[in-house]
Amino acid sequence: MTGHLKTWPIILALSILSAPLVLMYAYLFIDTVTNSPPGSFIPNEFTLEHWAFLWHTPPGRPSIWRVTFNSLLFAASTSLLVIVVSSMAGYVLSRLNVPARGFFLAGVMVLHAFPAITLIVAIFLVLQMIGLYNTLIGVILVKAAIDMPLGIWLMKGFYDTVPWEIEMAGIQDGASRFTVWRKLVLPQVKPGIFALWLFAFLLGWSEFILPQVLAPSGDVQVLSVYLASLIADDNNFDMALFKSVGLFYIAPVLILFFVFQNYLMNIYGGGSKG
Amino acid sequence: MRILLDKFSKSFGAVKVIEDMTLEIKDGEMLALLGPSGCGKSTTLFAICGIHKVTGGRIYFGDRDMTDLPSQERNVGVVFQSYALYPHMNVAENIAFPLRIRNLPGAEIKRLVDEMADLVHIGNLLDRRPAELSGGQQQRVALARALVRRPNVLLLDEPLANLDAKLRLEMRSEIRRIQLETGITAILVTHDQVEAMSMCDRIAIMNAGQIIQIATPKEMYRNPRTTFVAGFLGNPPIAFVEAEARDGMLAVKNADIRLPVPPDAVTPPDGTPVIIGIRPENLGPEGDAIIRGRVSFIETQGRENLYDIKLENGSVLRSIQRVRDDISLDDEVEWRVRSDRLFVFAENGERL
């Protein structure tokens, strides 16, 4: 009984403190399916009109499905590029005796710490010059390059936990270095690769600045840019529409995170038992 | 297949681990590389299988010079201390891996895997993952994987070190049985003298990158070339006392003990300082030379007792005898040694 008496003030305090957050999330959802009279928080009618963007494309805006597909393509391509390059580069940095290994390791670390936003003007100019401005390919390449140092570093960490005897045994068994990597080592770091893929996918899905600057318009818009353009549009200001699109935008992230949160934790654990 | 290391040297940077080592392993023989850690025995093993590039000298398998061939082309089977099984494959896939690399047809692979699994007695475990096996079973799988492609030579790197005592006994005889049945040339690296003596045809004992002596286990035990060899083999270990040659006898320093020079040793000139080695089993009630001392420690081993006796100069000898009740701690005893079983070494450790 005393335990309850002691804990209830804490619970009350926490409830009051977190109430604004809870209310915000609640209204993020409630406002997308209801209308409220002006000056009131209490909704008075149920409506699906705020979700009309799903089946009706307003003039001057790209279709939501086109934009969603772009986002998906963007996140999938960047994450795929990141895991392919990182799983190979991480192995090389972890195991092979390459020249200037220390330099590369330090370089990857510095690049990871480097704020990408400071490069944006230079990247913009480069993309414009080689004709990849306002294309998905251009922004995919840039995003993948920026995420790669983290990926390489993480994969190196995963490879470091694989016992070297397994590789030596493979070599004695007659396998080439590449086969050893592909058939023996890669399966040991599979959970790591999956976690990295998920991580890179979520990073790509939520990326805003790069697509906004490098691929801002029309057919190559991604969801985050589409969402920002809603709020920037002073003529048709519609808070409920903004909330609906926002909810539509974060839903896949939430689902992925809930389903695979254990794998994401793996990244911070730095290794796996396979 | 005969293996020959010809003036093999290996250094890591400026550190010379092995210099000018020549070692021949006969066809079908099992040879132990025995020595303390850091003596270069594992380095030798890794040079034979190609993991380490040699710094100097040549390595021959049969008449073929293997020195510059990569590991993949040497066809050497290795059993690692940690077994190094592939955790994501089941037992059958593990054993089949070297065959798959060689692109053998599936039916042939299956036949060879089954045959090998029968040889090492793991036929009922083929579907299991390595994590579901006991240490001894993992060991058998590692052996099967190393042997399935009929390697030129089988290398065993401390294969028993990770097993518990009972399994170690069992696997000791199992490995030897499998080696004899396949007739494969094998090299066992170990720091355990019991393993080396019980499993191998010959022992090459190493210290500081050099082979001190190569002999059969029996010969090496009976006839050690240096104090290092004598001290390494035998459990309980040999005891050494310092002595001096005097009038054709060996006088133990600061003690009233004189031992005759064993018949197989050269009698050193008077005044030469020597080291006498006495094995525990050669000190006891029977013998021809008398040793007096005080019992300082008794260790019960069940069938036998191990007695430490302290001589008047403070050095300690060991005696292993069948259990007797007439001796207790601090008793003054007068025991005997068989002088023909004494070892006499010069001050630098070389046998006289």
Side-chain angles (χ1 to χ4, degrees), chain B residues 99-119:
Chain B
L99 305 176
R100 288 209 196 289
I101 292 297
R102 281 171 181 70
N103 284 322
L104 260 62
E108 175 80 354
I109 290 180
K110 187 166 181 339
R111 191 181 63 77
L112 288 171
V113 167
D114 287 344
E115 192 183 298
M116 198 45 70
D118 282 346
L119 176 73

Side-chain angles (χ1 to χ4, degrees), chain A:
Chain A
M1 209 52 205
T2 47
H4 285 274
L5 283 175
K6 265 184 197 160
T7 49
W8 77 259
I10 299 173
I11 291 173
L12 186 71
L14 285 176
S15 307
I16 292 170
L17 280 175
S18 52
L21 272 174
V22 174
L23 279 176
M24 277 197 287
Y25 281 118
Y27 270 92
L28 177 63
F29 175 71
I30 293 169
D31 280 357
T32 64
V33 291
T34 59
N35 277 329
S36 311
S40 166
F41 289 116
I42 315 297
N44 61 353
E45 61 167 339
F46 174 80
T47 174
L48 283 176
E49 69 183 62
H50 307 305
W51 288 95
F53 69 93
L54 288 180
W55 54 85
H56 175 258
T57 306
R61 290 230 176 85
S63 146
I64 184 73
W65 296 113
R66 176 72 206 214
V67 174
T68 309
F69 174 74
N70 284 347
S71 258
L72 207 60
L73 191 67
F74 176 69
S77 311
T78 51
S79 55
L80 196 71
L81 263 176
V82 167
I83 59 166
V84 168
V85 175
S86 303
S87 61
M88 294 189 187
Y91 180 75
V92 170
L93 288 180
S94 169
R95 289 299 158 87
L96 302 188
N97 196 7
V98 284
R101 184 168 165 273
F103 169 79
F104 278 116
L105 276 175
V108 165
M109 208 50 176
V110 168
L111 279 179
H112 176 41
F114 201 83
I117 197 70
T118 57
L119 296 171
I120 199 116
V121 175
I123 292 173
F124 175 82
L125 290 174
V126 170
L127 286 191
Q128 186 121 47
M129 252 164 69
I130 58 178
L132 288 177
Y133 173 68
N134 213 15
T135 61
L136 263 182
I137 295 195
V139 73
I140 285 169
L141 288 177
V142 172
K143 175 67 177 156
I146 285 170
D147 284 353
M148 240 165 238
L150 172 71
I152 292 172
W153 196 261
L154 282 174
M155 284 316 299
K156 181 195 169 287
F158 282 112
Y159 283 122
D160 285 346
T161 65
V162 177
W164 70 273
E165 281 97 343
I166 286 185
E167 285 177 66
M168 290 305 138
I171 288 194
Q172 295 309 322
D173 283 346
S176 68
R177 210 58 210 247
F178 183 80
T179 311
V180 164
W181 172 73
R182 173 73 199 73
K183 292 260 175 74
L184 301 180
V185 180
L186 212 50
Q188 315 303 321
V189 298
K190 241 199 291 191
I193 289 179
F194 183 73
L196 178 61
W197 171 78
L198 201 60
F199 198 68
F201 185 90
L202 293 179
L203 280 180
W205 186 263
S206 57
E207 179 63 43
F208 167 62
I209 289 290
L210 290 174
Q212 168 77 1
V213 176
L214 304 174
S217 61
D219 280 351
V220 294
Q221 257 188 10
V222 293
L223 265 171
S224 56
V225 178
Y226 180 88
L227 189 64
S229 73
L230 286 181
I231 211 163
D233 187 351
D234 290 336
N235 301 324
N236 308 299
F237 191 72
D238 184 345
M239 224 9 156
L241 174 64
F242 183 72
K243 283 180 185 170
S244 305
V245 175
L247 201 59
F248 179 76
Y249 176 47
I250 59 167
V253 179
L254 288 180
I255 293 169
L256 275 182
F257 195 82
F258 277 123
V259 174
F260 296 118
Q261 51 178 324
N262 286 340
Y263 278 97
L264 279 176
M265 293 301 148
N266 225 342
I267 280 211
Y268 303 107
S272 75
K273 292 205 179 87

Side-chain angles (χ1 to χ4, degrees), chain B residues 137-154:
Chain B
Q137 290 166 335
Q138 291 189 23
Q139 172 85 77
R140 287 168 192 268
V141 177
L143 264 172
R145 188 183 64 189
L147 289 170
V148 74
R149 65 201 130 107
R150 314 220 171 282
N152 291 323
V153 55
L154 175 68

Side-chain angles (χ1 to χ4, degrees), chain B residues 90-327:
Chain B
N90 67 24
V91 169
E93 288 165 340
N94 260 286
I95 302 175
F97 184 77
L99 305 176
R100 288 209 196 289
I101 292 297
R102 281 171 181 70
N103 284 322
L104 260 62
E108 175 80 354
I109 290 180
K110 187 166 181 339
R111 191 181 63 77
L112 288 171
V113 167
D114 287 344
E115 192 183 298
M116 198 45 70
D118 282 346
L119 176 73
V120 301
H121 301 330
I122 50 166
N124 53 338
L125 304 173
L126 288 176
D127 297 330
R128 297 226 200 143
R129 292 285 173 102
E132 300 162 348
L133 301 177
S134 71
Q137 290 166 335
Q138 291 189 23
Q139 172 85 77
R140 287 168 192 268
V141 177
L143 264 172
R145 188 183 64 189
L147 289 170
V148 74
R149 65 201 130 107
R150 314 220 171 282
N152 291 323
V153 55
L154 175 68
L155 306 182
L156 303 145
D157 185 14
E158 311 234 1
L160 305 176
N162 287 2
L163 296 175
D164 58 52
K166 191 160 166 273
L167 265 177
R168 204 174 294 179
L169 276 176
E170 178 190 327
M171 286 314 292
R172 217 158 72 189
S173 49
E174 274 295 281
I175 291 177
R176 178 60 164 166
R177 170 185 72 80
I178 292 161
Q179 188 264 335
L180 288 175
E181 262 179 52
T182 50
I184 192 171
T185 311
I187 302 174
L188 170 80
V189 161
T190 180
H191 59 258
D192 183 343
Q193 49 103 10
V194 182
E195 274 171 34
M197 295 225 281
S198 58
M199 288 167 74
C200 294
D201 298 306
R202 285 195 304 159
I203 298 174
I205 192 163
M206 290 182 72
N207 191 23
Q210 286 195 315
I211 293 182
I212 311 288
Q213 187 174 3
I214 306 182
T216 62
K218 200 166 139 187
E219 167 69 11
M220 191 172 276
Y221 188 79
R222 287 235 183 117
N223 218 347
R225 193 172 289 164
T226 67
T227 46
F228 175 78
V229 178
F232 214 90
L233 295 187
N235 183 28
I238 195 169
F240 296 108
V241 284
E242 288 178 15
E244 199 182 80
R246 205 179 297 155
D247 312 328
M249 298 281 276
L250 304 169
V252 175
K253 271 189 188 155
N254 304 322
D256 186 22
I257 296 171
R258 281 167 170 257
L259 300 170
V261 179
D264 55 352
V266 190
T267 307
D270 273 13
T272 320
V274 295
I275 300 167
I276 305 174
I278 304 171
R279 290 213 187 271
E281 65 269 30
N282 297 331
L283 173 60
E286 285 144 41
D288 53 340
I290 294 170
I291 285 191
R292 276 179 218 93
R294 195 169 48 79
V295 176
S296 63
F297 183 71
I298 303 177
E299 185 185 296
T300 311
Q301 296 192 339
R303 185 158 32 92
E304 286 142 345
N305 274 2
L306 177 67
Y307 302 96
D308 282 6
I309 32 175
K310 205 169 199 168
L311 306 185
E312 52 189 301
N313 66 358
S315 40
V316 175
L317 293 181
R318 291 183 202 93
S319 162
I320 192 154
Q321 300 173 28
R322 59 174 178 72
V323 173
R324 49 195 283 187
D325 298 325
D326 56 333
I327 306 275

